[in-house]
Amino acid sequence: MIPFALRLAVSGGREALARLFTITAAVAIGVGLLLSTFAGVNAIGRADERRAWMDTGVEGTTAPTRADGLWWAPRLDYHDGKAVFQVSLAPTGPTAPVPPGLTRLPAPGEYFASPALQRRMREVPAAELADRFPGHLAGTLGDEALASPDSLTIVLGGTVDEVKALPFAKPVTAITTVLPDECDHNCFGEGAKGDVMVLILTVVAGALIFPILIFIGTATRLSAATREQRFAAMRLVGATPRQVSVVAAVESTVAAAVGTLAGFGVFYALRPFVAKVPFTGDRFFPDDLGLTLGQAAAVVLGVPLAAALAARLALRRVVISPLGVSRRVTPEPPRAWRLIPLVAGLAELGWVVADHPKTVDGQSAAYLTGFLLVMLGLMTSGPWLTMAAARTVARRTSRPASLIAMRRLADDPKAGFRSVAGLVLALFVTSATVGIIGTINAERGLLGGDPMVRKAVVLDSLQGQGAASATGSTEGTIPAVTPDVVARARAVPGFEAMALVHENPAHLGAVTKPDGRQIVPVLVRCSELAQVAVVGHCAPGAAVAAVDRYQFVDLTSGEGKEWPAVPLSPEEVDRLPVRTVYATTDGSVAAKERVRTLLSRTYPSYLARMADDWSSEGQRKLQGWRQLANVVLFTTLPIAGCSLAVSVVAGLSDRRRPFAMLRLTGAPLQLLRRVVGLEGAVPLLVVAAVSIGTGFAAAQMFLRSQMQYDLASPGALYYGLTALGIAASLGIIASTLPLLRRITGPEAARNG
């Protein structure tokens, strides 16, 4: 029977071959996108593995070994908004561990840098970047140590005394290979396992897979009505249900199997382009975009098997009663039980809000199950919603086109909804993802909104706590801010002003809070404060002011604030230790980075920061979350458009004969065009509205449960792309209308 089925699949002439080719091509595209999604998630995991070594020394990441000790001093710097990870090393013996990407440890005065950092150091003046790193380039850091081709990473060599004096320095005997389970602000890689990013990636990855599976399923149903007619004829001449099932399964499986194998070719062709998509803010190494054996096997076996199963389920009417197809018996209408998965998914997300799981695994399972149930519910409830909308419109219209379209939708809502299922699901995924990520961005925006703040560079002892005593200076203060340092800063093109922020050992101007905490301000010369007016100003006639220290270190605007005077002379203040250096520039990248480099090189135990830096781990991830939202937008909508295009082509082919019969009975062509448009537009608009609302509801429950945020209104990009996606979908439907004249001629009405 199988050889006969293979012969039958290709012996139908040009139409059969075109159908097989279309199914194969569509499945290949869908499989290629599906594999790319799997590979993207895998690449994120591999990138995490590559950066794990950066968290060496974090508690719980490595066990002690018998190797010689290695003094390890990590640091996170920035250049033009891009993070630069640097670590200074000093071995205590010949068997000290060597980080990945190196064949040996750098000697004092040497450093190894990543290719991206080397390019950047060549492209910008040394005074803006390269001068921060003492010594000379000894080699290139290998890819094994880099999370991305864009990673800016440097490993510097020093003496034991030099490295011990740096912040966060500690001796280690092994390099870590795993991310820490917990991290209290001392991680320099991506951070601890199981954070919010993992939860979001889990939900987004699951969401991206669904539209692709819908696309593959839609492709395997091309020309379903034509095949039903042919298989019904086989039943009429004596074929058994088993034989018909075999023929149907073979035809669908062959096309799906060939398409699946071709899909691997599509995946490998797409891989270089996918590697350039910064899912989490940086590109991937192409080799990281790999597949596990289980994923490859699941796709190779699962897609053809699903195609065979879909063919078997689609031909249930043929197997039971051949006349049921040839006479077009109305299918059984969908029941209200189809709403159960949708309600259950929303109920589960609501339960998570009321009873938040305590573990990360519990949270991941709850969110993933809830979102998948909602997506499944949209697919199962779509036909019922389509039928309900069609019946409602039919009762309130008297126009022939509307009546015909609504009656056809009410009679077979599954077919009507099937064509727009991919877009409906894409709208849910887009609405939920943009709602979640947009709200996170709104709640955790960039530091400092005042443009003047973005011109400042601050050097603060907060970044060097624990290192001050090692250098012999007063703990918590910056040593030796000499007139020469100030003069060199003033010589930087674009430099404007500098204020030295001093300790307040006498607690002048201190404020006691109701809870008993005492807030001690810092002291600043009024002559210097006047030059950095964005922080505030002194009272008239004052020489020294008491200023809230966090006005400087948090890089927030205090313009217009008047700070109280203290009874000290400028000379007395100058003798007090310096706590913070606050410099302002003309705002150019060159000026800010030159000042940063000068301060960083002069005071290596402290870190010069700017408002544009992602100064906390959570804020750095916002870049990745923004990019992830864009990936979802620009991935799901095109996939849904492909599904709609394939569905429309299949729908026209399936409805060729009934529309031809309507034309023979006198229905004008313009009437049929309105019928086709309404059959596509009504389920699209009705279920799309439900899908968008459900997406926002799911996003609100996720945000309330996980972060205690309320959903923020999406930006203009979301509304514009959603409107564009719906308009494009209606345009795809409209583009098929001119084909009606050709495919509904008298020859299409003959008995098949």
Side-chain angles (χ1 to χ4, degrees):
M1 201 61 196
I2 293 179
F4 171 74
L6 291 172
R7 208 163 46 245
L8 184 64
V10 298
S11 62
R14 195 174 289 177
E15 181 181 352
L17 291 175
R19 180 178 67 249
L20 288 175
F21 175 78
T22 304
I23 294 175
T24 300
V27 171
I29 294 172
V31 168
L33 293 173
L34 179 61
L35 295 175
S36 297
T37 302
F38 285 146
V41 175
N42 294 341
I44 292 172
R46 291 192 175 100
D48 284 342
E49 293 172 0
R50 287 175 180 270
R51 63 165 63 91
W53 69 278
M54 299 178 182
D55 291 326
T56 294
V58 174
E59 185 177 354
T61 58
T62 52
T65 69
R66 294 185 176 182
D68 290 327
L70 175 70
W71 276 94
W72 177 276
R75 172 187 181 130
L76 197 62
D77 202 351
Y78 293 86
H79 179 266
D80 195 14
K82 177 73 173 176
V84 181
F85 174 76
Q86 65 181 81
V87 59
S88 298
L89 307 177
T92 60
T95 63
V98 178
L102 295 177
T103 57
R104 66 175 179 86
L105 292 171
E110 293 182 340
Y111 60 77
F112 292 84
S114 65
L117 182 57
Q118 292 184 42
R119 285 195 303 272
R120 186 167 289 215
M121 287 193 292
R122 289 193 299 267
E123 292 168 358
V124 301
E128 295 180 26
L129 179 60
D131 285 350
R132 300 180 197 179
F133 313 121
H136 62 275
L137 179 67
T140 299
L141 198 59
D143 292 348
E144 313 90 81
L146 308 176
S148 163
D150 301 324
S151 296
L152 304 182
T153 307
I154 188 169
V155 179
L156 303 100
T159 65
V160 171
D161 290 339
E162 289 171 343
V163 176
K164 284 174 65 175
L166 296 175
F168 310 111
K170 62 176 62 178
V172 299
T173 57
I175 305 298
T176 188
T177 57
V178 295
L179 289 174
D181 292 320
E182 294 183 359
C183 192
D184 294 329
H185 308 293
N186 62 342
C187 293
F188 293 87
E190 191 64 15
K193 297 182 292 186
D195 57 10
V196 175
M197 188 63 164
V198 174
L199 295 174
I200 293 176
L201 285 174
T202 300
V203 174
V204 170
L208 284 175
I209 290 171
F210 254 74
I212 296 172
L213 295 178
I214 292 290
F215 177 48
I216 294 174
T218 301
T220 61
R221 290 185 56 86
L222 279 172
S223 300
T226 303
R227 285 182 285 170
E228 287 180 358
Q229 292 283 348
R230 179 157 35 109
F231 295 146
M234 292 174 59
R235 288 280 284 119
L236 285 171
V237 298
T240 65
R242 181 180 178 84
Q243 290 172 327
V244 172
S245 296
V246 171
V247 172
V250 167
E251 186 179 57
S252 295
T253 304
V254 167
V258 175
T260 299
L261 295 178
F264 279 85
V266 172
F267 161 65
Y268 283 107
L270 289 175
R271 193 163 72 158
F273 301 98
V274 176
K276 296 179 181 179
V277 177
F279 283 92
T280 55
D282 288 314
R283 297 177 300 159
F284 293 125
F285 287 108
D287 289 343
D288 285 349
L289 288 162
L291 301 168
T292 66
L293 183 60
Q295 289 169 339
V299 172
V300 168
L301 300 176
V303 172
L305 182 61
L309 182 61
R312 176 67 182 86
L313 294 176
L315 297 176
R316 283 177 295 178
R317 291 182 296 161
V318 177
V319 174
I320 296 171
S321 171
L323 297 179
V325 174
S326 60
R327 292 180 180 174
R328 289 296 179 202
V329 175
T330 299
E332 183 179 352
R335 304 296 183 186
W337 67 262
R338 288 175 168 270
L339 294 171
I340 293 176
L342 179 60
V343 175
L346 292 174
E348 178 171 352
L349 292 175
W351 169 79
V352 175
V353 175
D355 187 13
H356 187 66
K358 298 297 186 279
T359 66
V360 171
D361 289 341
Q363 294 166 22
S364 297
Y367 292 132
L368 185 58
T369 303
F371 273 85
L372 292 181
L373 267 177
V374 170
M375 288 187 283
L376 178 63
L378 287 172
M379 294 299 98
T380 59
S381 64
W384 187 89
L385 294 171
T386 300
M387 179 189 69
R391 289 178 175 177
T392 301
V393 174
R395 286 195 297 267
R396 288 168 170 76
T397 186
S398 58
R399 296 185 177 183
S402 299
L403 282 171
I404 294 173
M406 295 306 102
R407 286 297 303 272
R408 284 176 55 82
L409 279 177
D411 285 345
D412 193 3
K414 294 179 184 177
F417 172 74
R418 190 181 300 124
S419 62
V420 299
L423 184 68
V424 166
L425 199 58
L427 288 174
F428 167 77
V429 172
T430 300
S431 301
T433 305
V434 172
I436 292 171
I437 296 174
T439 300
I440 294 173
N441 277 282
E443 294 285 345
R444 302 183 184 179
L446 284 170
L447 289 170
D450 194 307
M452 294 300 295
V453 171
R454 299 188 179 280
K455 297 181 179 181
V457 181
V458 60
L459 183 79
D460 186 69
S461 60
L462 183 66
Q463 301 297 325
Q465 285 182 356
S469 60
T471 62
S473 64
T474 304
E475 185 168 357
T477 61
I478 299 172
V481 182
T482 63
D484 176 65
V485 174
V486 177
R488 282 188 290 149
R490 295 185 186 281
V492 172
F495 175 89
E496 291 185 348
M498 177 181 289
L500 301 183
V501 182
H502 297 266
E503 280 278 20
N504 184 3
H507 293 190
L508 299 173
V511 177
T512 302
K513 296 291 184 180
D515 60 3
R517 290 183 301 114
Q518 189 178 51
I519 306 300
V520 181
V522 289
L523 305 178
V524 187
R525 270 177 171 249
C526 287
S527 58
E528 295 177 356
L529 191 61
Q531 299 178 53
V532 291
V534 68
V535 178
H537 63 272
C538 292
V544 178
V547 182
D548 182 356
R549 175 170 174 261
Y550 291 98
Q551 196 70 57
F552 294 100
V553 299
D554 284 351
L555 289 163
T556 55
S557 174
E559 192 168 9
K561 286 185 178 181
E562 183 174 287
W563 300 105
V566 294
L568 286 178
S569 68
E571 292 74 21
E572 290 175 312
V573 168
D574 288 344
R575 290 194 291 270
L576 294 175
V578 174
R579 188 69 181 269
T580 302
V581 177
Y582 192 92
T584 58
T585 68
D586 60 6
S588 66
V589 173
K592 290 189 293 185
E593 295 299 344
R594 283 174 183 262
V595 171
R596 189 209 297 265
T597 300
L598 169 64
L599 295 176
S600 297
R601 185 67 183 268
T602 306
Y603 305 103
S605 293
Y606 308 94
L607 183 64
R609 298 179 293 114
M610 295 187 288
D612 290 336
D613 297 342
W614 299 92
S615 58
S616 71
E617 183 180 337
Q619 288 172 319
R620 290 197 301 273
K621 289 177 183 175
L622 288 179
Q623 283 182 312
W625 290 343
R626 288 191 180 106
Q627 186 59 42
L628 196 59
N630 292 335
V631 169
V632 171
L633 280 172
F634 293 110
T635 300
T636 57
L637 291 179
I639 292 172
C642 293
S643 296
L644 180 62
V646 172
S647 297
V648 169
V649 171
L652 280 178
S653 176
D654 293 345
R655 292 178 291 184
R656 177 186 304 178
R657 188 166 179 268
F659 281 164
M661 295 295 291
L662 283 172
R663 285 196 66 188
L664 286 178
T665 59
L669 189 61
Q670 190 62 32
L671 175 69
L672 297 183
R673 287 174 177 167
R674 286 198 293 270
V675 169
V676 172
L678 288 170
E679 285 186 17
V682 168
L684 170 64
L685 297 176
V686 170
V687 188
V690 174
S691 179
I692 292 172
T694 304
F696 286 145
Q700 166 64 21
M701 286 185 279
F702 175 90
L703 291 165
R704 173 51 54 185
S705 170
Q706 189 65 27
M707 303 177 181
Q708 301 301 308
Y709 294 160
D710 287 320
L711 181 68
S713 176
L717 177 64
Y718 166 79
Y719 291 114
L721 284 176
T722 300
L724 180 63
I726 293 176
S729 301
L730 295 174
I732 292 174
I733 296 171
S735 68
T736 65
L737 300 183
L739 298 175
L740 280 172
R741 181 186 298 276
R742 183 169 62 85
I743 69 172
T744 58
E747 68 281 359
R750 70 180 187 273
N751 291 324

